Amino acid sequence: MSPARRCSRTACGRVAVCTLTYVYADQTAVLGPLATYAEPHAYDLCDVHSERLSAPRGWEVLRLAADPAAQGPSSDDLLALADAVREAGRPAPPPRVAPADETGRETTRRGHLRVLSTD
């Protein structure tokens, strides 16, 4: 089976290019860009069926155009990638030593700070 989603219309094997959803409360049919995931209450349509779409009498068809800027990677994607590279390039912090495992003897204490001698 092909990974591309197919048109929901019966006997149509074309590749889906948009998604149709109904807003029953507003009596509106919304035809927009192909959804990221196939939803059980949405219909994927090919270009031929999306152009010939009609709604029931009294209903409005709202056609949403695809945003051309959304096709490629966004600046958010690039910033996230740069942050991941920066994070991977940071040196690992030195391992923490438990107070009981420390070598040296405490000579002075100031608040939460301790001075240890290495004798």
Side-chain angles (χ1 to χ4, degrees):
M1 182 169 186
S2 172
R5 294 189 347 224
R6 300 289 177 191
C7 182
S8 297
R9 295 293 302 255
T10 305
C12 181
R14 295 184 193 93
V15 175
V17 295
C18 60
T19 299
L20 170 68
T21 54
Y22 292 105
V23 182
Y24 293 100
D26 297 334
Q27 293 186 340
T28 304
V30 181
L31 185 65
L34 189 63
T36 306
Y37 302 103
E39 296 288 334
H41 299 291
Y43 303 93
D44 295 335
L45 298 177
C46 65
D47 55 350
V48 173
H49 287 114
S50 65
E51 290 173 8
R52 294 191 301 183
L53 175 73
S54 63
R57 182 169 290 158
W59 282 54
E60 179 183 356
V61 176
L62 181 63
R63 296 177 187 268
L64 303 175
D67 183 13
Q71 299 298 326
S74 69
S75 61
D76 290 341
D77 294 337
L78 296 175
L79 288 174
L81 180 60
D83 289 342
V85 169
R86 234 180 266 118
E87 184 69 28
R90 286 189 184 139
R96 296 189 82 172
V97 178
D101 297 337
E102 289 180 349
T103 58
R105 194 180 67 205
E106 183 177 330
T107 58
T108 311
R109 182 177 278 256
R110 289 188 183 174
H112 67 283
L113 301 174
R114 298 182 295 158
V115 176
L116 302 174
S117 68
T118 59
D119 302 359

